[in-house]
Amino acid sequence: MHRRSLLLAAAALPLSALPGVATAAQTIRIMKSPSCGCCSAWADHLAAAGFQTDLRDVPDEELWAMKDRLGVGGDLASCHTAMAGAYVIEGHVPAGDILRLLAEQPVALGLTVPGMPIGSPGMEMGEEREAFDSLLILADGSTVVFASHA
């Protein structure tokens, strides 16, 4: 079965049926470029929210191929890709949005914060902040706004 089909099937299951998906204490596996520092800062944000993080350095070409396999197209991409249960988490998604995703269990591929907005978790630069949206990636690759952050 194709990876995307597996993700969609798993996303349709009740949260309690997915191994390790119940609370923030679950492990989020984060794949990142070896040269990326903001990815580690995002992992620290997740750890502060109670998530266990498994941070893995992946060669850039492998990381981009994985994004494509998981349904994270170029316009949805950021610098790192993570898995939380059956969901893909792309970029600097706030921990609260991930917790909401896991609690609500929508039929979707996951969440993305495209690009690297200044002020998003892991991209803090003093008081400077850009407004950004966390987007829910639907099964057909389209997106809807999941949460807006000012």
Short mmCIF file of all heavy atoms in Angstrom, two decimals, residues 113-121 123 125 127-133 148-150:
data_model
loop_
_atom_site.label_atom_id
_atom_site.label_comp_id
_atom_site.label_asym_id
_atom_site.label_seq_id
_atom_site.Cartn_x
_atom_site.Cartn_y
_atom_site.Cartn_z
N VAL A 113 3.19 24.72 8.61
CA VAL A 113 3.41 26.16 8.61
C VAL A 113 4.47 26.36 7.52
O VAL A 113 5.66 26.14 7.75
CB VAL A 113 3.90 26.68 9.98
CG1 VAL A 113 4.35 28.13 9.87
CG2 VAL A 113 2.81 26.54 11.04
N PRO A 114 4.01 26.71 6.31
CA PRO A 114 4.95 26.86 5.20
C PRO A 114 5.99 27.95 5.46
O PRO A 114 5.71 28.94 6.13
CB PRO A 114 4.06 27.24 4.02
CG PRO A 114 2.69 26.77 4.40
CD PRO A 114 2.63 26.94 5.89
N GLY A 115 7.17 27.74 4.91
CA GLY A 115 8.24 28.72 5.08
C GLY A 115 8.76 28.72 6.50
O GLY A 115 8.69 27.73 7.21
N MET A 116 9.26 29.85 6.91
CA MET A 116 9.86 29.98 8.23
C MET A 116 9.48 31.34 8.80
O MET A 116 10.32 32.24 8.90
CB MET A 116 11.37 29.81 8.13
CG MET A 116 11.78 28.45 7.58
SD MET A 116 13.51 28.33 7.12
CE MET A 116 14.31 28.45 8.70
N PRO A 117 8.20 31.53 9.19
CA PRO A 117 7.78 32.85 9.67
C PRO A 117 8.51 33.28 10.94
O PRO A 117 8.64 32.50 11.89
CB PRO A 117 6.28 32.67 9.96
CG PRO A 117 5.90 31.33 9.45
CD PRO A 117 7.13 30.55 9.22
N ILE A 118 8.96 34.51 10.94
CA ILE A 118 9.65 35.06 12.11
C ILE A 118 8.66 35.13 13.27
O ILE A 118 7.53 35.60 13.12
CB ILE A 118 10.23 36.45 11.80
CG1 ILE A 118 11.32 36.31 10.74
CG2 ILE A 118 10.79 37.10 13.06
CD1 ILE A 118 11.83 37.63 10.20
N GLY A 119 9.07 34.61 14.42
CA GLY A 119 8.23 34.61 15.61
C GLY A 119 7.48 33.31 15.81
O GLY A 119 6.91 33.08 16.88
N SER A 120 7.48 32.43 14.80
CA SER A 120 6.88 31.11 15.00
C SER A 120 7.81 30.30 15.92
O SER A 120 8.98 30.65 16.08
CB SER A 120 6.65 30.41 13.66
OG SER A 120 7.89 30.21 12.98
N PRO A 121 7.31 29.24 16.55
CA PRO A 121 8.16 28.47 17.47
C PRO A 121 9.46 28.00 16.79
O PRO A 121 9.42 27.37 15.74
CB PRO A 121 7.28 27.28 17.87
CG PRO A 121 5.88 27.78 17.68
CD PRO A 121 5.95 28.69 16.49
N MET A 123 11.64 30.08 15.60
CA MET A 123 12.08 31.19 14.74
C MET A 123 11.97 32.52 15.47
O MET A 123 11.81 33.57 14.86
CB MET A 123 11.25 31.23 13.46
CG MET A 123 11.55 30.12 12.48
SD MET A 123 13.23 30.20 11.82
CE MET A 123 13.21 31.77 10.98
N MET A 125 12.88 35.89 17.14
CA MET A 125 13.93 36.89 16.93
C MET A 125 13.54 38.13 17.70
O MET A 125 13.02 39.09 17.12
CB MET A 125 14.10 37.18 15.44
CG MET A 125 14.57 36.00 14.65
SD MET A 125 14.84 36.47 12.94
CE MET A 125 15.36 34.89 12.29
N GLU A 127 11.40 40.64 19.70
CA GLU A 127 9.97 40.97 19.71
C GLU A 127 9.34 40.91 18.31
O GLU A 127 8.13 41.06 18.18
CB GLU A 127 9.76 42.35 20.31
CG GLU A 127 10.19 42.45 21.76
CD GLU A 127 9.41 41.50 22.67
OE1 GLU A 127 8.17 41.44 22.54
OE2 GLU A 127 10.04 40.82 23.49
N GLU A 128 10.15 40.72 17.28
CA GLU A 128 9.63 40.71 15.92
C GLU A 128 8.78 39.46 15.67
O GLU A 128 9.16 38.35 16.05
CB GLU A 128 10.79 40.74 14.91
CG GLU A 128 10.35 40.93 13.50
CD GLU A 128 11.51 41.04 12.52
OE1 GLU A 128 12.67 41.13 12.98
OE2 GLU A 128 11.25 41.03 11.32
N ARG A 129 7.60 39.67 15.06
CA ARG A 129 6.69 38.55 14.77
C ARG A 129 5.98 38.80 13.45
O ARG A 129 5.54 39.91 13.19
CB ARG A 129 5.63 38.38 15.86
CG ARG A 129 6.18 37.89 17.19
CD ARG A 129 5.07 37.55 18.16
NE ARG A 129 4.06 36.65 17.67
CZ ARG A 129 4.14 35.30 17.66
NH1 ARG A 129 5.21 34.73 18.11
NH2 ARG A 129 3.16 34.57 17.20
N GLU A 130 5.85 37.77 12.66
CA GLU A 130 5.02 37.78 11.47
C GLU A 130 3.76 36.97 11.78
O GLU A 130 3.84 35.93 12.43
CB GLU A 130 5.73 37.13 10.29
CG GLU A 130 6.99 37.82 9.85
CD GLU A 130 7.73 37.05 8.76
OE1 GLU A 130 7.57 35.82 8.64
OE2 GLU A 130 8.50 37.70 8.04
N ALA A 131 2.62 37.44 11.31
CA ALA A 131 1.41 36.64 11.44
C ALA A 131 1.57 35.42 10.53
O ALA A 131 2.18 35.49 9.46
CB ALA A 131 0.20 37.46 11.02
N PHE A 132 1.06 34.27 10.99
CA PHE A 132 1.13 33.05 10.17
C PHE A 132 -0.05 32.15 10.50
O PHE A 132 -0.68 32.28 11.54
CB PHE A 132 2.46 32.31 10.37
CG PHE A 132 2.65 31.72 11.74
CD1 PHE A 132 2.30 30.39 11.99
CD2 PHE A 132 3.18 32.47 12.78
CE1 PHE A 132 2.48 29.84 13.26
CE2 PHE A 132 3.36 31.93 14.05
CZ PHE A 132 3.01 30.60 14.29
N ASP A 133 -0.32 31.25 9.58
CA ASP A 133 -1.38 30.25 9.76
C ASP A 133 -0.78 28.87 9.82
O ASP A 133 0.18 28.56 9.11
CB ASP A 133 -2.37 30.28 8.58
CG ASP A 133 -3.17 31.56 8.51
OD1 ASP A 133 -3.48 32.14 9.58
OD2 ASP A 133 -3.51 31.98 7.38
N SER A 148 -4.83 30.46 13.24
CA SER A 148 -4.11 31.68 12.84
C SER A 148 -3.37 32.23 14.06
O SER A 148 -3.88 32.19 15.18
CB SER A 148 -5.11 32.74 12.33
OG SER A 148 -5.66 32.32 11.12
N HIS A 149 -2.17 32.70 13.80
CA HIS A 149 -1.32 33.23 14.86
C HIS A 149 -0.86 34.63 14.49
O HIS A 149 -0.26 34.83 13.44
CB HIS A 149 -0.12 32.31 15.09
CG HIS A 149 -0.53 30.89 15.38
ND1 HIS A 149 -0.89 30.47 16.63
CD2 HIS A 149 -0.68 29.82 14.55
CE1 HIS A 149 -1.23 29.19 16.57
NE2 HIS A 149 -1.10 28.77 15.33
N ALA A 150 -1.18 35.59 15.35
CA ALA A 150 -0.81 36.99 15.07
C ALA A 150 0.54 37.33 15.67
O ALA A 150 1.03 36.73 16.55
CB ALA A 150 -1.87 37.92 15.63
#
